Amino acid sequence: MSIIICPGIHESALTQCFVSGWIEQVIDEAKNKKAVDLLIFPGESGLALSAFHILQFLHKHLQDRIESPVVFISFSAGVVGSILAAHKWQQIGGSVKAFIAIDGWGVPMWGNFPIHRMSHDYFTHWSSSMLGSGENNFYADPPVEHLEMWRSPQTVQGYVLDSCFGQSPPKQRLSAAEFLHLLLKHYEDN
């Protein structure tokens, strides 16, 4: 399985915070079971909006492994280009296991693959879900700044909406990092 990180238009240091904050642990756990690749699209300077450039990146890094399952984790402007790239990847025979949109406010979400939204506040979750959201979504409560969702998902607390993989939503609060961990674990196991 490959995890494709599609950042927004911001300093690359924020993406490094995101990766070092929690995903390395997930990758280490997953590598003990199956091969997992972590690919970070260099989206600074507006390329995060370009499905064409994201597809080029996927072809370059996955080459002959097009059938290998891919999970997209995208943030902000990165959601724009990566949702289109996910569709195109699937059209050419690629396997999109899931798409996770972090603060992709106003971006229509549809697909022939599982979609999850994570939002920095309830209003963003509610207003974005009108454009499609899938199941098992997360919103921060109390609300946080937009970039905080990407910089420090381990400190952002909130709630899961919808059932969590056939179970009732947890009664306790989760961090955004814990929610992402649950999603990735689910897709790694299935």
Side-chain angles (χ1 to χ4, degrees):
M1 182 169 86
S2 296
I3 298 171
I4 312 302
I5 306 290
C6 295
I9 302 169
H10 51 72
E11 297 174 13
S12 60
L14 293 179
T15 300
Q16 292 307 314
C17 289
F18 177 77
V19 171
S20 65
W22 69 274
I23 204 162
E24 288 175 353
Q25 175 187 356
V26 172
I27 297 299
D28 289 342
E29 287 177 22
K31 281 184 178 177
N32 291 333
K33 297 177 185 175
K34 302 173 189 168
V36 173
D37 290 326
L38 177 64
L39 303 171
I40 302 173
F41 177 71
E44 300 95 18
S45 74
L47 290 180
L49 298 166
S50 172
F52 174 77
H53 287 95
I54 295 170
L55 273 174
Q56 278 187 323
F57 176 81
L58 288 173
H59 279 291
K60 178 182 175 186
H61 289 87
L62 296 180
Q63 295 173 356
D64 61 342
R65 296 179 294 144
I66 194 165
E67 314 82 32
S68 177
V70 172
V71 173
F72 284 83
I73 300 176
S74 304
F75 174 68
S76 193
V79 175
V80 175
S82 61
I83 189 68
L84 295 171
H87 284 281
K88 292 292 184 189
W89 187 250
Q90 195 174 49
Q91 286 176 352
I92 63 171
S95 171
V96 178
K97 201 137 191 186
F99 188 91
I100 303 167
I102 302 175
D103 257 1
W105 187 77
V107 179
M109 292 283 131
W110 74 100
N112 203 9
F113 40 81
I115 294 173
H116 308 278
R117 279 194 189 265
M118 298 179 66
S119 302
H120 75 277
D121 63 13
Y122 183 76
F123 175 78
T124 302
H125 165 76
W126 170 81
S127 58
S128 294
S129 65
M130 291 184 209
L131 299 171
S133 64
E135 293 183 0
N136 304 313
N137 301 299
F138 174 92
Y139 72 91
D141 186 27
V144 296
E145 296 279 329
H146 170 68
L147 290 176
E148 190 68 18
M149 286 288 288
W150 196 244
R151 177 180 30 249
S152 305
Q154 68 276 14
T155 64
V156 175
Q157 295 292 309
Y159 294 100
V160 176
L161 296 175
D162 301 319
S163 65
C164 197
F165 313 114
Q167 303 170 4
S168 299
K171 300 291 184 204
Q172 78 276 9
R173 296 165 52 79
L174 293 174
S175 72
E178 290 168 329
F179 177 70
L180 283 166
H181 183 78
L182 284 173
L183 288 177
L184 292 176
K185 186 163 177 42
H186 172 75
Y187 290 113
E188 174 197 346
D189 295 341
N190 295 311

